[in-house]
Amino acid sequence: MLPELPPLPALTRAEAELIDRYLEVVDLLGRVNPARPGDTYRSLRAAQALVGKAVALRDALTVMHRRGETELHAEILARALRVLDGERRTARVTLPPRTGR
């Protein structure tokens, strides 16, 4: 049985699109991260997909801007990211902790 997650905060359609596209980019960057174990083919495939996902992220932000959504409501968007496992997903983009020394 899956754990019960808190509900997503109320988002505009454009904000929801931004969050989804952002997390797709983050997931791909985590697979490309050279400080993480893996093979070059997996990283290559992620890097190739990153181009299209970055365009989709840009487009989501463009839609928001054109619709007059000129401010990112960071607290609300951060809550949505946390509900969608954003902390774990973004951690894969950073350097892993040092081992040894």
Side-chain angles (χ1 to χ4, degrees):
M1 179 177 232
L2 293 174
E4 191 162 325
L5 297 173
L8 275 171
L11 302 173
T12 66
R13 182 176 292 173
E15 286 173 329
E17 185 76 11
L18 169 63
I19 293 292
D20 288 343
R21 301 300 75 84
Y22 174 77
L23 287 173
E24 287 174 349
V25 167
V26 163
D27 289 340
L28 291 170
L29 283 173
R31 291 195 318 198
V32 173
N33 186 347
R36 299 278 175 185
D39 59 65
T40 56
Y41 184 72
R42 182 184 73 163
S43 294
L44 172 62
R45 296 289 300 185
Q48 290 169 334
L50 185 58
V51 176
K53 298 301 181 182
V55 168
L57 176 60
R58 181 206 59 202
D59 292 347
L61 285 162
T62 300
V63 167
M64 286 181 71
H65 183 73
R66 287 186 180 157
R67 294 174 80 193
E69 295 181 48
T70 57
E71 184 179 338
L72 294 175
H73 302 284
E75 186 177 321
I76 293 167
L77 296 172
R79 275 193 359 235
L81 287 168
R82 284 187 183 94
V83 170
L84 297 170
D85 202 20
E87 289 175 313
R88 180 189 61 82
R89 293 163 79 175
T90 57
R92 293 188 311 214
V93 176
T94 62
L95 288 172
R98 288 182 187 218
T99 56
R101 285 187 169 196

